[in-house]
Amino acid sequence: MSTTSGLTFRDRQGHRIGTLSVANVLAWLAIVAPIVIAAQVIRTAAPASPWWPAVVLVLLAVATADLPDSMFPLSTVLATAGWWIATVEDVRLGPTVVVALSLLVFHVAAGHAALGPPGRDDDAAVLRGVVARIAQVGALTVVLAAVAGVTTGRVDVPPVVLGLALISTGALPWLAGRWKRFGAGH
């Protein structure tokens, strides 16, 4: 359940301009902060890259926080990934995992913000569910990164096996949701 609360700003005709609440500030931070972190990690991993893509990413993240149900979230993810691919030559596990987790938090926060009316305050159960999903996928990301770090250069994995593993990993959250919804006891 969610409600709309906080300080609401209206124009002279009485139309809502925006709502300022603790939930809105936290949602804004959950959308913008991960992209600021990813931009900083990319700048550190590729110090010769230009500075302006970081500004573009932050502006896209701010636009996403304002309009989460638009094309801004996808544009932000694509621009972040594109900047990473174009500039980072010495790919290391640590920065890769940090950027991946940043994009995960950004994606979930933007998706959650797009689900309801602006200014809503979600109850604790909804927020626990969002955080639990981020934690599950984040933990899986870290485990896969650890496996990749341990096996790189030691195990020759055929591309077909790698592709199937990635598809399976991508399907796990979907399968878990289906199992929970239609699983035993229902």
Side-chain angles (χ1 to χ4, degrees):
M1 176 170 158
S2 64
T3 60
T4 302
S5 65
L7 179 61
T8 300
F9 299 95
R10 298 188 181 280
D11 65 11
R12 292 180 185 190
Q13 288 78 29
H15 300 108
R16 191 187 70 76
I17 296 171
T19 302
L20 181 65
S21 69
V22 173
N24 282 353
V25 171
L26 291 176
W28 191 90
L29 285 173
I31 291 170
V32 176
I35 297 302
V36 170
I37 292 167
Q40 181 57 41
V41 169
I42 295 170
R43 290 274 303 135
T44 303
S49 70
W51 59 269
W52 60 265
V55 174
V56 170
L57 290 182
V58 172
L59 290 174
L60 285 170
V62 169
T64 296
D66 189 41
L67 299 167
D69 57 347
S70 67
M71 289 301 293
F72 286 121
L74 178 60
S75 299
T76 306
V77 170
L78 292 176
T80 305
W83 188 30
W84 172 272
I85 291 167
T87 61
V88 178
E89 294 176 9
D90 183 21
V91 178
R92 295 183 183 197
L93 190 60
T96 304
V97 171
V98 171
V99 171
L101 292 175
S102 295
L103 288 174
L104 168 66
V105 171
F106 169 82
H107 172 71
V108 172
H112 183 71
L115 288 176
R120 78 178 193 279
D121 290 335
D122 292 317
D123 63 14
V126 171
L127 294 177
R128 277 194 304 272
V130 170
V131 171
R133 288 200 173 125
I134 289 174
Q136 291 166 352
V137 176
L140 183 60
T141 301
V142 171
V143 168
L144 287 173
V147 169
V150 169
T151 61
T152 298
R154 296 183 187 147
V155 177
D156 187 23
V157 179
V160 170
V161 172
L162 180 60
L164 289 173
L166 290 173
I167 289 170
S168 299
T169 302
L172 284 177
W174 179 78
L175 289 171
R178 305 248 334 146
W179 178 76
K180 185 176 181 180
R181 213 171 329 170
F182 302 109
H186 290 291

